[in-house]
Amino acid sequence: MEIDNMARADRFLYEISKIVHYEQRIRTLFYKKKFQERVSDSKPKIEAVLEASKELHRSKRLKRLLELILAFGNYMNRGARGNASGFHLASLNRIADTKSSINRNMTLLHYIIDTLEKKFKDVLKIEEDIHHVRQAAKVNLNELTKEIQSLKSGLQEVQKELEYHRSQPPQHGDKFVPVMKEFITTATYRFSELEDTFQEMKQRYDQVVKHFGEDPSHLQPDEFFAIFDTFLTSFNEARQDNETFRRKREDDEKRAKQDTEVFIV
């Protein structure tokens, strides 16, 4: 026979060509192979934005801190732009750039933290309230949305291919239908859970952005949560600076006292 004279690679391609819907089967099998990995990659991103949205909305420490920042801002701008009822989030990270006219190493953020240390010590634990914002700041919503849509359309393609093969006469030894039937049942349930969480995430995100007086259609999660992520970094750095300043001041006072004692002796 002519096929016996073919090279092994040619014979392989010949046999493959006899498989019905070969290309479609390959695509669905590849989808099946990657499905769990893709779901596992998307789920933490969705949960990060969902949890960060909840945290920002309910954090009493954040509310108290923002009230304090607004009070400082109104005091500094008295007679000019004082008595404001709020401020844009974009202004939050300008606090670390507002330097003291007396000590250029001190900023408004250093002073606010010093006030917290003295009067509102519990607010210093703010990162415990909103610790998901750092992960949420890394989530690109456009890419995540495309991935959810791709998973959905891929699942529909698998279902369509499964229905096609069910309508065809069974081939001896072909396990495509039973294998993909089991997969589609599990995958449909898993994707339904993921999509429900994704929709809840979008709803919660819209709510928290509006809660802070911003427009969710013009502010993506990676931009919105990055504001708080950057602020937390500046907050922790300024707090460490204050501790360094305090130790230096104590050391200077200690040396000055020792020098005075030596002089008196």
Side-chain angles (χ1 to χ4, degrees):
M1 294 180 63
E2 186 178 345
I3 189 172
D4 295 330
N5 297 325
M6 291 181 178
R8 291 184 63 183
D10 293 333
R11 287 203 303 271
F12 175 76
L13 291 174
Y14 174 74
E15 293 295 337
I16 288 292
S17 70
K18 294 192 294 183
I19 298 176
V20 178
H21 270 216
Y22 169 69
E23 292 184 9
Q24 293 91 330
R25 286 169 70 124
I26 288 295
R27 284 200 301 270
T28 55
L29 288 170
F30 183 75
Y31 178 89
K32 176 181 179 295
K33 179 178 176 61
K34 291 292 184 179
F35 178 80
Q36 183 57 49
E37 179 183 330
R38 292 171 67 183
V39 169
S40 297
D41 181 61
S42 297
K43 189 175 180 181
K45 297 175 184 177
I46 295 172
E47 291 177 342
V49 174
L50 175 61
E51 293 304 316
S53 298
K54 292 178 182 178
E55 290 169 355
L56 289 175
H57 200 281
R58 69 190 177 205
S59 174
K60 293 181 179 179
R61 288 168 177 153
L62 177 61
K63 182 180 179 181
R64 177 58 63 88
L65 177 59
L66 295 178
E67 288 173 348
L68 185 62
I69 291 171
L70 179 62
F72 272 105
N74 282 332
Y75 179 79
M76 292 172 64
N77 293 313
R78 64 192 185 282
R81 295 170 296 173
N83 298 320
S85 58
F87 59 90
H88 287 291
L89 284 179
S91 305
L92 191 59
N93 287 313
R94 296 175 190 159
I95 299 171
D97 298 323
T98 305
K99 296 185 181 296
S100 167
S101 58
I102 300 174
N103 183 352
R104 303 303 291 177
N105 290 323
M106 290 288 292
T107 68
L108 177 58
L109 184 55
H110 288 108
Y111 190 77
I112 288 173
I113 290 174
D114 187 56
T115 302
L116 295 176
E117 289 280 4
K118 295 174 181 176
K119 298 183 178 180
F120 307 99
K121 209 171 184 65
D122 182 64
V123 179
L124 293 169
K125 301 175 183 178
I126 184 172
E127 192 162 359
E128 294 179 11
D129 282 8
I130 57 174
H131 64 276
H132 278 95
V133 299
R134 294 196 182 278
Q135 187 178 353
K138 301 174 184 177
V139 178
N140 185 302
L141 183 57
N142 289 331
E143 292 181 359
L144 184 57
T145 301
K146 288 179 182 178
E147 177 64 358
I148 296 299
Q149 291 173 344
S150 176
L151 279 168
K152 186 173 186 177
S153 61
L155 203 57
Q156 292 170 344
E157 185 177 349
V158 172
Q159 182 66 55
K160 182 179 179 181
E161 186 64 14
L162 181 58
E163 290 173 359
Y164 170 81
H165 283 280
R166 278 174 167 172
S167 68
Q168 300 300 306
Q171 299 293 320
H172 179 70
D174 188 352
K175 298 181 180 180
F176 181 85
V177 170
V179 169
M180 297 310 291
K181 180 182 177 182
E182 181 180 353
F183 166 72
I184 201 74
T185 301
T186 304
T188 299
Y189 176 75
R190 292 292 309 280
F191 177 75
S192 179
E193 282 188 322
L194 187 72
E195 189 176 35
D196 287 347
T197 308
F198 180 69
Q199 294 302 328
E200 182 187 1
M201 177 211 76
K202 290 200 298 182
Q203 181 182 9
R204 290 280 190 171
Y205 175 70
D206 285 356
Q207 288 175 350
V208 75
V209 174
K210 291 175 182 177
H211 177 73
F212 284 98
E214 303 291 345
D215 186 350
S217 65
H218 294 134
L219 198 60
Q220 294 295 304
D222 52 347
E223 300 171 308
F224 176 72
F225 293 114
I227 294 172
F228 295 97
D229 182 25
T230 301
F231 178 76
L232 286 177
T233 298
S234 299
F235 188 90
N236 291 331
E237 289 176 351
R239 193 177 178 189
Q240 184 60 49
D241 288 343
N242 279 2
E243 179 63 19
T244 301
F245 296 152
R246 183 187 65 78
R247 290 177 180 175
K248 184 177 184 304
R249 185 168 59 250
E250 289 177 352
D251 289 343
D252 290 344
E253 290 173 354
K254 185 176 180 180
R255 280 195 297 269
K257 183 179 180 180
Q258 290 174 342
D259 292 342
T260 302
E261 291 175 349
V262 170
F263 179 77
I264 293 175
V265 174

